[in-house]
Amino acid sequence: MEFSLDYGEGRRVKLEVPAGQVILPAISAEPAEAGSSLTESISVPIGTAPLTSLAESAKSIVFIVEDHTRHSPVLETLDLLRKLFESRGISWDKVSLLIATGTHRQMKPEELQEKFGVFSSDTRIVQHKAEETAKMKDFGEFLEVPIQVNEAIEADLTVGIGSIVPHRFSGWSGGAKIVLPGVASYESVFKSHRMAILKSKADVGVFENEFRELIDETGSRVGLDFIINFYYDINGSTAGTVAGNHVLALRKGVELARKQLLRQYRERTDVTVISSFPSVTDFWQCGKALYTSDLITKDGGDIVMVSSLDEGFGDHPLFASLLKLEANEILEKLDMITTEDPLAYVAAYAVRKVLQKKKVHIVSDTKFAEKFDELGLRVNSDIQSVVDRLICPGKSVSVLQNSLVLPEITTEEVYHETKRP
């Protein structure tokens, strides 16, 4: 049976697996409904007035947008919004963009140009820096987590633009997650993720959890007036858009996204092959693929992760070195943390828990292969040879073409297919 996995923008890798060893998901009896377009969702939002009506009376407008590690159609959205504003006589001069970098590095000039086009030069842009505590505004605490957010968020109209996809720490992205962790202080980001690891029911695709409560509360306290969130089909194409109130619109969006991405399996498999796409920037981001494949892989099984790993281990060098420790050792250090990068401990703990239960094999052409090899994370160049080595007779295999897929183990009948659906 032949599979094609996403590798990068416009790039795919091929894989063949004996049909008798492949476990495919059950075919959903409920087809996903057609989604609303961007124009429709903005014009008829959920729980708020139309965006243009809100913008007409606003003297200042902030659009909180994603950085280079995310892939929402931000440029197309800004193009449409400017045209809508012009048609209603709303000046674009009162608009500024606040880039939700979280704790990521700042975007380079060429990345700003690529992601935001002409808006990178004719619209005021603020890149969030989580470490600049003097530029954070305090909104109190919730669930023992301080809510400290970039002061640039304050405007007569604040709008978040992002995506709804399954997420390990918050269950699903989207909504006010563009605020926390997107434009929050380092302390807020660290303590919220620490809470998600130690005290929350959060996991990939689990919507009701403490971290989501914190995110929603943050959106309400800071005055997030409107969201525009995209959700995707299994191939990574935009399936629809929801817009409006950051709580109500998100809940509708998660319902629609789940129908698009959910794949039900009758059992865990011995081997899971997954692409980390669209999270290919670095191993920190690629953790999404590990968390997802963990849901469907037997303990003691193998995960084959395909990713371009463009920037190696990314912005947190401490994260890489911590992966040498066992999860309980990381947790002990986390409890008495005084380090310069405590968030690295949280991420390393989550990844290490997967690495201790499953054997992970990386397939990539990354130029940072030696750094991965030093940590015992061998980087392979050919996916077919890796999978052929792992799937001895009797072993079951599942293949997830990207990390958008939401696998779920169910008691419903799932069967071995001998041909592609």
Side-chain angles (χ1 to χ4, degrees):
M1 182 174 290
E2 184 175 292
F3 295 91
S4 178
L5 292 87
D6 297 312
Y7 186 75
E9 292 293 345
R11 301 175 65 189
R12 303 181 72 83
V13 294
K14 302 287 186 180
L15 173 67
E16 290 189 8
V17 183
Q21 293 179 258
V22 177
I23 289 185
L24 292 175
I27 300 173
S28 175
E30 181 182 4
E33 61 188 85
S36 298
S37 69
L38 175 58
T39 301
E40 291 169 341
S41 63
I42 292 173
S43 302
V44 188
I46 299 170
T48 68
L51 182 58
T52 49
S53 298
L54 297 173
E56 283 178 329
S57 59
K59 294 181 179 179
S60 58
I61 301 171
V62 171
F63 291 124
I64 312 174
V65 293
E66 301 169 342
D67 68 0
H68 60 290
T69 66
R70 303 294 190 269
H71 303 277
S72 299
V74 174
L75 180 55
E76 295 86 344
T77 303
L78 294 175
D79 278 332
L80 184 142
L81 291 175
R82 175 137 66 181
K83 290 175 183 176
L84 283 176
F85 280 21
E86 289 175 349
S87 70
R88 299 288 291 267
I90 302 169
S91 173
W92 192 258
D93 291 340
K94 58 186 178 181
V95 171
S96 61
L97 305 181
L98 174 57
I99 301 179
T101 58
T103 61
H104 309 154
R105 65 167 174 80
Q106 300 289 281
M107 293 181 70
K108 301 172 185 176
E110 59 270 24
E111 291 171 330
L112 292 169
Q113 169 61 35
E114 181 179 0
K115 191 168 186 74
F116 302 112
V118 67
F119 298 96
S120 65
S121 57
D122 71 5
T123 303
R124 179 176 179 265
I125 291 180
V126 176
Q127 294 206 59
H128 174 67
K129 294 182 180 179
E131 300 83 4
E132 292 186 340
T133 55
K135 294 185 178 180
M136 303 297 157
K137 182 172 181 179
D138 194 331
F139 290 88
E141 287 191 357
F142 186 73
L143 298 179
E144 300 181 349
V145 175
I147 300 176
Q148 301 161 352
V149 175
N150 195 309
E151 62 187 7
I153 198 174
E154 292 192 298
D156 294 327
L157 176 61
T158 303
V159 180
I161 302 173
S163 290
I164 300 172
V165 297
H167 193 276
R168 165 64 181 86
F169 295 101
S170 58
W172 291 84
S173 65
K177 192 172 181 296
I178 198 78
V179 178
L180 177 67
V183 294
S185 72
Y186 190 99
E187 182 182 6
S188 295
V189 176
F190 162 58
K191 290 187 175 178
S192 62
H193 282 70
R194 184 180 187 278
M195 181 267 288
I197 284 289
L198 301 179
K199 300 180 182 180
S200 173
K201 298 185 291 291
D203 205 345
V204 180
V206 178
F207 185 71
E208 300 296 339
N209 62 79
E210 291 82 353
F211 195 7
R212 174 49 64 180
E213 290 180 30
L214 171 63
I215 291 169
D216 289 349
E217 179 68 18
T218 298
S220 298
R221 289 195 191 184
V222 306
L224 182 60
D225 301 298
F226 199 95
I227 63 166
I228 300 170
N229 278 182
F230 300 89
Y231 61 95
Y232 305 91
D233 64 21
I234 205 73
N235 297 311
S237 299
T238 301
T241 314
V242 293
N245 176 271
H246 72 88
V247 175
L248 300 178
L250 174 67
R251 275 155 177 70
K252 179 62 177 177
V254 168
E255 175 188 327
L256 296 170
R258 182 177 171 83
K259 290 179 181 178
Q260 292 283 349
L261 302 177
L262 180 67
R263 296 295 183 269
Q264 295 181 318
Y265 292 80
R266 72 150 187 251
E267 63 186 30
R268 294 173 183 267
T269 53
D270 298 299
V271 179
T272 300
V273 183
I274 185 170
S275 163
S276 75
F277 187 84
S279 301
V280 298
T281 307
D282 52 52
F283 196 63
W284 181 285
Q285 297 298 324
C286 291
K288 297 177 176 65
L290 297 183
Y291 308 140
T292 297
S293 51
D294 183 40
L295 299 175
I296 194 175
T297 311
K298 294 177 182 178
D299 286 350
D302 294 272
I303 295 172
V304 180
M305 186 186 75
V306 179
S307 180
S308 57
L309 292 168
D310 302 326
E311 298 182 14
F313 281 99
D315 306 327
H316 299 263
L318 181 60
F319 165 67
S321 62
L322 288 171
L323 293 177
K324 299 176 183 177
L325 304 177
E326 296 297 306
N328 64 321
E329 294 178 292
I330 299 173
L331 189 58
E332 288 174 4
K333 292 179 178 292
L334 186 60
D335 285 336
M336 50 184 181
I337 204 101
T338 57
T339 179
E340 72 280 6
D341 189 5
L343 186 59
Y345 282 75
V346 175
Y349 174 73
V351 170
R352 199 70 184 89
K353 286 188 70 176
V354 178
L355 296 177
Q356 287 178 196
K357 294 184 294 181
K358 280 88 176 178
K359 295 182 287 292
V360 174
H361 313 263
I362 300 172
V363 177
S364 178
D365 61 0
T366 178
K367 63 183 180 181
F368 301 97
E370 287 187 6
K371 292 185 178 180
F372 285 88
D373 290 343
E374 289 171 4
L375 294 174
L377 293 168
R378 183 183 175 189
V379 176
N380 306 268
S381 59
D382 178 54
I383 186 174
Q384 190 65 58
S385 61
V386 175
V387 175
D388 287 347
R389 185 175 72 248
L390 296 174
I391 56 170
C392 56
K395 283 200 171 183
S396 57
V397 183
S398 58
V399 181
L400 309 182
Q401 70 186 65
N402 54 47
S403 61
L404 296 173
V405 181
L406 176 60
E408 180 180 88
I409 305 302
T410 178
T411 56
E412 295 180 16
E413 182 180 0
V414 181
Y415 49 87
H416 287 269
E417 287 275 15
T418 57
K419 60 181 180 179
R420 295 187 70 177

